[in-house]
Amino acid sequence: MISWWIILAIFMIFLIILYFASPLITPKALKLQSSHVLVTGGSSGIGKALAINVAKRGANITLLARNKSKLQEAKVEVEKHFLNKDSQSVICISVDISKDYEAVEKAVQQAEDKFGPVALLVNCAGTSMTGVFEEILPSEFKRMLDINYLGSVYVTRAVVPSMKKQQLGRIVFVSSQAGQLGLFGYTAYSASKFALRGLAEALQMELKPYHIRVTLAFPPDTDTPGYAEEQKSKPKETHLISEVAGLFSPHEVAKSIIEDSTHGKFFSYMGLDGYMLSCLTCGMSPVISMMDATQQVITSGIFRVISLFYLDYFDRIVQKCKLERENIKDDKKTS
Ligand SMILES: *[C@@H]1O[C@H](CO)[C@@H](O)[C@H](O)[C@H]1NC(C)=O
Ligand SMILES: *[C@@H]1O[C@H](CO)[C@@H](O)[C@H](O)[C@H]1NC(C)=O
């Protein structure tokens, strides 16, 4: 009996030591005041909310997006939130980040000529679509990869050389909870978001010696124009399954992404589901805090058990919807 207490005590001491050791290996937070932040997809949704967030923290901001008039509208809105109106500004560059690497490089060059090297890059431009696998057009699979994956590669590729020279920087890839697990209806979208994971892990290992930190964000469903558009074509199964996680506001999501990336965290997640998924899917991802590592070690077994219940629940939804469809078909045939 006593030996159990000793083991428990040793374990507690271990945790306490880890807790106090964690700041030692945690990078210094990046100051956004008087630095250059570049946001792709910055004219709406989470991207615009991110721009507003960093405007409040005193940064110069470059917004990249395709639609000129939307960019202009976003600029006006972002400028309202400046911490210091005299020293901050926003520039907008209209470019399709998924098409032509040269155009992207030119846009980044133009931004750096004005504001200096990018200190924080947020790859937020993305698009989503849902549908049953065999009903998704083959071209849609390519479009998802072009925008969600290659768009992030191109802009990051253009920004990294000057970051390396500065030996300073933060890069955010905005993935999704659908980039942590595959769900009904997300075959095209999930694959493009999973691709960012491989990119982010490998790139972090390359950039760590240069004090550049990569953050992979897994926002939950967020109340944006893109989300509203997606609702229109969502299969019933996808609808019922994603209801489980709830809907967040773009400003909450933006705040959490900026906090995590300035602090150099590799994962950025929100809510209890987000916490569980990130512990569960940590794999061999980089970690900057022993506190986080300890939590991952301790929780992964129990979270796996919980996940089995979720999977069972999702499978039942899919099965039920299949039966419903078949019944409707049968009714049509008999009538
Ligand atoms: C923004 O950039 C301008 C140069 O275009 C510079 O003079 C100013 O100090 C910068 N402000 C911040 C907050 O970085
Ligand atoms: C650009 O955005 C405006 C709304 O601000 C919209 O009316 C217009 O259709 C968009 N243009 C394109 C080419 O998507």
Side-chain angles (χ1 to χ4, degrees):
M1 199 53 207
I2 287 173
S3 61
W4 281 109
W5 285 110
I6 294 173
I7 290 171
L8 190 66
I10 291 173
F11 186 66
M12 293 307 286
I13 292 167
F14 169 72
L15 284 187
I16 291 165
I17 291 171
L18 283 185
Y19 181 79
F20 284 107
S22 66
L24 300 180
I25 58 159
T26 302
K28 259 201 240 146
L30 179 79
K31 284 203 189 67
L32 290 180
Q33 190 152 11
S34 357
S35 56
H36 180 188
V37 177
L38 189 151
V39 184
T40 74
S43 67
S44 72
I46 299 177
K48 189 167 76 180
L50 285 158
I52 289 173
N53 189 292
V54 298
K56 288 178 186 165
R57 296 170 193 245
N60 270 336
I61 302 161
T62 302
L63 301 178
L64 297 190
R66 274 176 310 175
N67 187 321
K68 282 204 176 95
S69 60
K70 262 183 160 172
L71 272 171
Q72 212 49 43
E73 284 167 25
K75 178 179 152 89
V76 171
E77 202 179 329
V78 171
E79 282 170 345
K80 287 185 194 146
H81 297 274
F82 280 160
L83 182 70
N84 183 342
K85 291 202 165 46
D86 304 324
S87 73
Q88 282 176 270
S89 45
V90 176
I91 55 173
C92 296
I93 304 173
S94 164
V95 60
D96 183 343
I97 57 159
S98 66
K99 269 223 174 104
D100 160 32
Y101 178 70
E102 264 74 51
V104 172
E105 201 176 51
K106 222 177 98 201
V108 169
Q109 191 58 53
Q110 193 186 331
E112 296 200 324
D113 286 347
K114 179 102 168 62
F115 290 150
V118 173
L120 168 63
L121 162 64
V122 189
N123 289 292
C124 191
T127 182
S128 83
M129 63 99 46
T130 53
V132 178
F133 179 69
E134 69 275 19
E135 286 169 11
I136 299 174
L137 292 174
S139 60
E140 280 290 299
F141 289 93
K142 183 169 180 301
R143 194 175 73 93
M144 285 295 124
L145 279 178
D146 282 346
I147 299 175
N148 293 346
Y149 172 65
L150 283 180
S152 299
V153 171
Y154 290 169
V155 181
T156 306
R157 171 83 168 58
V159 164
V160 158
S162 64
M163 269 193 187
K164 267 183 148 176
K165 239 183 251 158
Q166 297 285 312
Q167 306 237 359
L168 173 93
R170 298 282 188 267
I171 299 169
V172 180
F173 295 105
V174 179
S175 179
S176 157
Q177 286 191 343
Q180 294 177 295
L181 79 168
L183 293 172
F184 191 107
Y186 283 118
T187 48
Y189 179 70
S190 268
S192 69
K193 292 296 191 180
F194 268 72
L196 291 174
R197 164 100 185 223
L199 170 65
E201 284 193 12
L203 187 64
Q204 176 62 92
M205 199 178 280
E206 287 191 20
L207 296 181
K208 201 172 163 189
Y210 298 89
H211 311 291
I212 300 166
R213 296 288 172 164
V214 174
T215 297
L216 187 59
F218 301 111
D221 278 343
T222 309
D223 193 7
T224 61
Y227 178 77
E229 191 56 39
E230 191 194 312
Q231 292 309 305
K232 293 179 193 160
S233 63
K234 246 186 191 174
K236 189 169 178 210
E237 287 90 337
T238 313
H239 219 79
L240 292 171
I241 288 172
S242 47
E243 258 175 18
V244 171
L247 196 62
F248 287 76
S249 85
H251 291 284
E252 288 174 279
V253 173
K255 182 161 179 270
S256 128
I257 292 176
I258 297 297
E259 287 290 330
D260 289 333
S261 80
T262 50
H263 287 94
K265 290 200 171 184
F266 185 71
F267 282 162
S268 175
Y269 53 81
M270 290 186 72
L272 199 60
D273 291 321
Y275 175 68
M276 187 179 101
L277 277 175
S278 298
C279 288
L280 201 51
T281 63
C282 64
M284 268 185 67
S285 59
V287 61
I288 58 152
S289 130
M290 285 311 287
M291 199 58 190
D292 289 348
T294 311
Q295 289 179 37
Q296 289 168 352
V297 170
I298 294 173
T299 58
S300 37
I302 182 73
F303 283 164
R304 179 54 174 155
V305 174
I306 295 172
S307 80
L308 299 177
F309 288 94
Y310 273 100
L311 286 174
D312 183 53
Y313 177 63
F314 296 158
D315 283 342
R316 278 165 203 260
I317 289 175
V318 173
Q319 187 63 26
K320 197 172 140 245
C321 291
K322 175 172 178 277
L323 288 176
E324 268 175 27
R325 279 206 190 97
E326 284 167 356
N327 284 341
I328 291 168
K329 257 190 221 154
D330 287 349
D331 286 352
K332 274 191 190 144
K333 261 184 223 152
T334 49
S335 62

